[in-house]
Amino acid sequence: MARDLAPDIERLLQFRDPNIRKKAALCSIRIIKKVPDLAENFMHPASSLLKEKHHGVLITAVQLSTDLCKVSSEALEYFRENCIEGLVKTLRDIANSPYSPEYDIAGITDPFLHIRLLKLLRILGQGDAGASDCMTDILAQ
């Protein structure tokens, strides 16, 4: 069933409505957990979702990317090459963003997104000195 639905889910990841993209990303996470062979189908859509401004889509895209990196070494290399600077910029923007009451918890802007981004950066930085160098400034901050 997952193999049959994967092309439709992949198409929905580029849908205009952010709520549909978020649900499609959640569905993609379940698909790659059940059928890891389909991971390569979701690498490019997941990397495009990492540039989202909508927090719900962004947090699911980060989780999708994390799961892709866990099941596929090809995906890990792809995200290392193409997404580290964008992820570091997103983390920097969230850490330095002004007060936003809808995502603020105890003075920290969207701590759940912070945690997911840090977990993904940890996976991407393991064993790669270039990736680690890219993220040292924001981690020190």
Side-chain angles (χ1 to χ4, degrees):
M1 188 170 163
R3 290 184 193 280
D4 293 336
L5 290 175
D8 292 330
I9 300 303
E10 198 175 338
R11 182 179 47 79
L12 288 173
L13 286 170
Q14 282 110 28
F15 204 76
R16 199 172 55 115
D17 184 15
N19 292 319
I20 303 263
R21 287 193 307 265
K22 180 177 85 171
K23 298 293 184 182
L26 289 170
C27 190
S28 301
I29 292 168
R30 288 192 167 210
I31 286 174
I32 62 164
K33 283 184 179 179
K34 300 257 186 230
V35 187
D37 300 341
L38 296 173
E40 67 184 35
N41 296 354
F42 295 106
M43 287 187 318
H44 299 294
S47 68
S48 69
L49 287 178
L50 290 173
K51 297 172 182 81
E52 272 294 323
K53 298 293 181 210
H54 190 272
H55 280 243
V57 177
L58 185 58
I59 198 166
T60 55
V62 170
Q63 185 61 45
L64 174 60
S65 302
T66 303
D67 289 346
L68 283 168
C69 290
K70 287 179 181 176
V71 299
S72 168
S73 60
E74 184 180 314
L76 180 63
E77 288 305 315
Y78 175 79
F79 284 108
R80 275 184 182 155
E81 292 172 12
N82 300 316
C83 299
I84 288 192
E85 286 101 18
L87 290 169
V88 169
K89 181 186 178 311
T90 302
L91 185 60
R92 184 176 292 119
D93 290 347
I94 291 171
N96 297 330
S97 69
Y99 179 74
S100 175
E102 71 182 316
Y103 302 116
D104 185 74
I105 297 175
I108 300 170
T109 304
D110 208 346
F112 300 106
L113 182 57
H114 270 104
I115 291 168
R116 297 261 169 104
L117 281 168
L118 289 171
K119 284 181 180 180
L120 178 57
L121 288 172
R122 181 194 71 200
I123 291 170
L124 294 175
Q126 277 180 333
D128 188 4
S132 297
D133 289 342
C134 185
M135 38 182 118
T136 42
D137 290 340
I138 187 63
L139 294 178
Q141 199 178 38

